[in-house]
Amino acid sequence: MAVTLVLRALGLGDLLTAVPALRALRDARPGDRLVLAAPAALAPLAALTGAVDEVLPTPGLGALRPDSVPRPGLAVNLHGRGPRSIADLLRTRPRAVVTHRHAAFPALDGPPWRDDVHEVRRWCDLLRHSGIAADPARLELPPPPAAASACPAPGAVVVHPGAASRARRWPPGRFAAVARALADRRTGPGARVVVTGSEAERPLATEVAVRAGLGHSAVRAGGDLTHLAALVAGAALVVCGDTGVGHLATAFGTPSVLLFGPTPPARWGPPPDRPRHVALWAGEAGDPHAPRPDPGLLRLTVPEVTDAALTLLVGGVPCRRTAAGDRSPSGSSARATSG
């Protein structure tokens, strides 16, 4: 059986933004075995796409071994702009390669990399350049098979204060204030609120839960991605920053309030035509790798986040504080991978 090899050795949000491209590849090459080179922990989510036959455990660039997969008929670079990602794929000796253009590999055709494009559309456009039709709207995932029984807090509000970089982390005291307001629900009975995070984020999740007056029982940190996915799929609402949990909410159709900064939602946010997902952004792009919370992110206030969340909980459509057109400063692109 012919093999299509796809490299996307990144995180949860990166996988979810690549779902439309993965589905396009499956449709274009239905007889191939589609192998996704990605971190092993993402395998349960990759299976939900209906497009991936196998996840080849690949924790990052340089980890794709040439002998780990049969020679691909097609290798697709959904990882970044190169040159390291291109070199990783070329070591598998593919018969054909789909990638963005890079000066280090003049023999490979491909479109130039653009900073001013949404991450989902970026990979669909790459495939279209090679004659493969791709629809960026195909983001939805079915809930995990055991979601109904595995979800420990059905109908809860999920507050997720963590993010991969400090620049994208809204202060824990503000998350706690929002969680407390949602639990109080001054206009009626309070919502059940749980605070999520990775195992490494357990202290942060605990701090938010305790400061919100929720106690340790509200902490849902640690566990695998299937557990987290079931929790998000069964939630009434998600409140988080620009992180993978926000992409899970989009994938499962769970209403969400997403706090953006320094990366504009026009690059990594939910589709703007889906009113159940509200991206709040102060209109300032900045350094996504800065060692402290982005100044634009800090301009988002507890009252506006709380108001957006409460409005979604009662089925309304909140106002969105975003800057139309995304006029980002030159050179301040989102989390564009240089690999």
Side-chain angles (χ1 to χ4, degrees), residues 45-254:
L45 272 298
L48 293 179
T49 68
V52 176
D53 294 305
E54 175 188 351
V55 169
L56 180 64
T58 309
L61 293 177
L64 181 60
R65 303 192 322 272
D67 60 350
S68 59
V69 63
R71 184 182 182 187
L74 177 67
V76 183
N77 185 1
L78 299 186
H79 188 97
R81 71 184 79 184
R84 295 172 62 199
S85 54
I86 298 175
D88 277 4
L89 285 174
L90 289 178
R91 279 193 288 271
T92 67
R93 301 182 301 109
R95 293 179 173 83
V97 178
V98 171
T99 186
H100 284 88
R101 187 184 313 155
H102 195 279
F105 299 93
L108 294 179
D109 183 33
W113 183 275
R114 292 177 52 193
D115 288 333
D116 61 339
V117 65
H118 193 282
E119 186 72 2
V120 175
R121 184 168 292 279
R122 176 190 312 287
W123 306 113
C124 291
D125 288 349
L126 172 65
L127 296 185
R128 289 186 188 123
H129 185 272
S130 297
I132 298 173
D135 180 0
R138 298 175 70 189
L139 289 165
E140 291 83 0
L141 294 181
S149 59
C151 180
V157 171
V158 171
V159 174
H160 186 86
S165 69
R166 291 185 180 274
R168 292 187 277 127
R169 293 180 201 163
W170 208 45
R174 298 193 195 184
F175 271 114
V178 172
R180 183 168 56 249
L182 295 177
D184 289 346
R185 289 290 294 277
R186 289 159 291 186
T187 58
R192 183 179 183 187
V193 178
V194 297
V195 186
T196 58
S198 65
E199 186 60 45
E201 292 168 338
R202 184 179 293 276
L204 173 61
T206 301
E207 177 187 354
V208 170
V210 170
R211 292 177 69 171
L214 303 175
H216 291 266
S217 63
V219 177
R220 296 289 188 273
D224 59 21
L225 279 180
T226 301
H227 179 92
L228 178 61
L231 187 58
V232 171
L237 177 72
V238 170
V239 180
C240 67
D242 172 19
T243 187
V245 170
H247 294 287
L248 276 178
T250 300
F252 295 133
T254 302

Side-chain angles (χ1 to χ4, degrees), residues 118 238 240-242 246-247 250 255-261 263-283 297 300 304-305 308-309 312 317-324:
H118 193 282
V238 170
C240 67
D242 172 19
H247 294 287
T250 300
S256 60
V257 178
L258 309 176
L259 286 58
F260 274 80
T263 301
R267 307 287 179 83
W268 281 82
D273 60 347
R274 304 188 190 193
R276 292 192 296 177
H277 308 295
V278 176
L280 300 177
W281 182 50
L297 178 63
L300 300 179
E304 68 183 307
V305 175
L312 281 176
V317 179
C319 295
R320 301 168 179 229
R321 200 224 276 202
T322 59

Side-chain angles (χ1 to χ4, degrees), residues 6-32:
V6 180
L7 177 62
R8 185 99 169 139
L10 296 163
L12 173 61
D14 304 283
L15 169 65
L16 296 175
T17 54
V19 166
L22 291 171
R23 286 173 168 160
L25 285 167
R26 163 56 67 219
D27 291 346
R29 303 176 73 88
D32 283 16

